[in-house]
Amino acid sequence: MNRPLLFLDVDGPLNPYAAKPERRPDGYTTLRVPRNDAHEDDRGPSSRRRPLRVWLNPEHGRTLLQLGFELYWATTWMDDANRWIAPVLGLPEFPFVDFGDVLLQERRDGVHWKTGPLVDYAGGRPFAWVDDE
C-alpha cells in the first residue's frame, strides 16, 4: 500500500520568515540565499539586492522523515528547495510540484492557487498539505 503524500511549503512552515528579524528562534540556523539574477524589480537587477535570509531548524528534517508520508515540495521554491532547503535539514531530494502558469495566480472562486495543481498531482491518492496560508 502506498503511503499518503505530504505536500510541504517552505516559507512559514519551515522558515519562520515573519519572526522578528533581529531574533533568530532557538534551534534555527541562518541561510543566505542569493536572489535570482534573472529577475528585476523597480530597484534594478536583483543581484544588487541583499541575499534572502532563511531560518531553518535542522531537527525538522529528521521529524519529517519519521512521519510516514511520501514527501513532496509544494512551494514557490520548487526545485530550489532541493538545492537550498533539503541539505540544511538533512533531507534527500524530493519531487516537487511545478506550479507552472498558475504560480501565485489568485483564483476568482477564492480557492488557494496551489489547490488545483496539488489535487491533480496527487492523482486520487490521499494527501496532507502543510502551508502557512
Side-chain angles (χ1 to χ4, degrees):
M1 182 173 169
N2 291 334
R3 295 179 296 163
L5 310 177
L6 176 60
F7 292 123
L8 187 60
D9 187 20
V10 170
D11 295 317
L14 296 174
N15 171 28
Y17 67 92
K20 293 182 180 182
E22 67 278 356
R23 182 164 170 83
R24 181 178 62 209
D26 291 339
Y28 284 73
T29 187
T30 301
L31 175 67
R32 301 282 179 192
V33 179
R35 306 234 183 203
N36 184 346
D37 290 339
H39 294 85
E40 289 194 20
D41 63 15
D42 57 359
R43 294 174 290 186
S46 60
S47 61
R48 295 185 197 144
R49 294 173 21 207
R50 292 186 306 182
L52 180 64
R53 181 217 42 161
V54 179
W55 284 334
L56 297 170
N57 185 328
E59 290 298 314
H60 289 164
R62 184 178 7 262
T63 302
L64 287 166
L65 291 173
Q66 294 174 354
L67 292 177
F69 286 86
E70 257 183 67
L71 298 168
Y72 291 81
W73 296 117
T75 173
T76 58
W77 287 76
M78 292 192 273
D79 194 35
D80 282 340
N82 285 317
R83 178 178 180 196
W84 295 102
I85 307 303
V88 176
L89 299 179
L91 296 171
E93 285 192 13
F94 295 140
F96 66 96
V97 178
D98 185 342
F99 293 108
D101 293 340
V102 302
L103 184 66
L104 300 172
Q105 299 297 314
E106 287 190 37
R107 290 175 42 156
R108 292 181 188 182
D109 60 6
V111 173
H112 192 279
W113 63 269
K114 289 183 183 177
T115 304
L118 295 180
V119 169
D120 292 344
Y121 199 94
R125 290 181 61 190
F127 69 89
W129 172 20
V130 179
D131 206 297
D132 62 321
E133 293 190 46

